[in-house]
Amino acid sequence: MLTPDQIATIETDLARSRARTRLLNANGTQVIVKQLEAPLKHWGYPVLDALATLLQQPMLRAVPAPGGRAAQQIEVARLRTLAAAGVPVPDVLHVTPQWFALSYLGEMSLDQLLRKQPDIGQRYWESGLDAIVALHRLGQTASQCFARNMIWHEGRVSFIDFEDDPTKSMPLASAQARDWLLYLHSTAYILKLQPQQIAEIFLRHLRKDDKEVQRQVLKAARTFGWLRILPNQRKPWGRDVVAVQGAAHVLHLIAAQVRRERVVL
């Protein structure tokens, strides 16, 4: 928890800045402070929901991120629930109607580590896979399980960014399957590994999860593997296209491997 002097220091700093998220030194303690943002409107939600129904992929359902006070309430509640369950997340240090403060876990995300240390990237990437397995065994799910939201802290992976709750839009197993796919989407195109090797390691870790989660991930692999035909060159297509192509290539290989093994999930 923060002292009155630390809270006063934060209030003084926030009065000079409109930045949504700030790293502040509150009298010798580094904290992350998040201010309210304007309520958000996402016109694409009905399209995502329709696509999820059409493809029978509940993990594609829109997960509303409301912004404003509702987003703050969701994040604070989720952080406290996850911490109580034993998930490594930032501590909630102080909450006001306009901002809240979290413990600082460091700036090194798995995304940064994979980019800056590609020679040992597999070690960090597999740590992320292990963290997802551990998260799910505690009966929990992330919000946006991208590598940028997974922080390497004190020799393990901690999760951040919980402004939405996927379980309000889909069953827990679907939300957990979504974790696997978002992590793959955010990492496959960065890794300095052959796609077949990525597929084998990913599948080995996936098989530690619940059977229903495995089934849904494999179903997604069969549905979206064709997207491997997208361009795999960042220029001029951009990162998003390359990320989808890289993940789809791995999903295609996973589906093929399971088919060869005649594994029924």
Side-chain angles (χ1 to χ4, degrees):
M1 299 298 109
L2 300 179
T3 67
D5 286 346
Q6 289 174 318
I7 294 170
T9 297
I10 293 172
E11 293 277 11
T12 299
D13 188 275
L14 293 180
R16 298 193 295 261
S17 173
R18 294 186 178 182
R20 168 82 202 298
T21 303
R22 290 175 61 77
L23 171 62
L24 300 178
N25 188 316
N27 299 357
T29 300
Q30 287 189 303
V31 299
I32 295 291
V33 179
K34 300 182 77 169
Q35 300 191 77
L36 294 185
E37 63 178 339
L40 303 176
K41 293 182 179 180
H42 295 277
W43 305 108
Y45 285 165
V47 175
L48 277 176
D49 288 343
L51 189 62
T53 300
L54 178 65
L55 297 177
Q56 298 183 335
Q57 296 282 352
M59 70 184 74
L60 289 183
R61 290 189 61 82
V63 180
R69 191 161 297 174
Q72 176 171 303
Q73 291 171 343
I74 291 171
E75 183 155 20
V76 169
R78 292 216 64 209
L79 284 167
R80 287 172 170 165
T81 297
L82 290 162
V87 178
V89 294
D91 295 324
V92 178
L93 302 176
H94 190 75
V95 180
T96 79
Q98 299 301 320
W99 59 268
F100 66 104
L102 304 172
S103 60
Y104 178 58
L105 301 182
E107 63 180 8
M108 198 57 69
S109 69
L110 290 188
D111 178 83
Q112 291 170 307
L113 288 169
L114 291 176
R115 296 175 189 276
K116 292 181 178 181
Q117 302 183 38
D119 292 344
I120 56 173
Q122 181 179 341
R123 169 196 169 194
Y124 294 114
W125 183 63
E126 289 199 50
S127 294
L129 296 172
D130 288 334
I132 293 171
V133 173
L135 173 72
H136 294 176
R137 286 180 175 173
L138 292 170
Q140 304 297 323
T141 186
S143 285
Q144 299 178 34
C145 198
F146 298 115
R148 68 173 183 265
N149 292 331
M150 301 166 77
I151 304 297
W152 185 255
H153 177 64
E154 297 182 346
R156 67 174 182 176
V157 174
S158 295
F159 294 88
I160 62 170
D161 200 353
F162 293 94
E163 296 174 3
D164 54 40
D165 186 350
T167 62
K168 301 298 183 183
S169 301
M170 64 190 75
L172 176 61
S174 299
Q176 292 175 336
R178 180 175 179 264
D179 288 343
W180 287 104
L181 295 178
L182 292 182
Y183 186 61
L184 182 64
H185 172 268
S186 67
T187 58
Y189 74 107
I190 304 174
L191 286 166
K192 302 302 181 183
L193 298 172
Q194 292 299 313
Q196 184 62 49
Q197 188 177 4
I198 297 173
E200 290 171 358
I201 296 171
F202 186 89
L203 186 56
R204 184 169 69 245
H205 285 77
L206 173 64
R207 283 173 169 161
K208 300 175 185 177
D209 211 333
D210 181 80
K211 289 294 185 182
E212 177 58 19
V213 176
Q214 294 182 49
R215 187 191 69 79
Q216 292 198 34
V217 172
L218 181 58
K219 183 178 179 181
R222 293 168 178 150
T223 300
F224 300 115
W226 69 271
L227 291 170
R228 69 190 184 280
I229 67 174
L230 291 172
N232 62 2
Q233 298 298 318
R234 185 160 180 172
K235 293 182 179 181
W237 307 102
R239 181 182 63 184
D240 292 342
V241 170
V242 173
V244 171
Q245 191 280 333
H249 190 179
V250 174
L251 290 173
H252 170 72
L253 294 172
I254 288 172
Q257 180 173 331
V258 172
R259 188 164 57 247
R260 285 195 302 270
E261 296 172 356
R262 298 182 179 180
V263 174
V264 179
L265 299 179

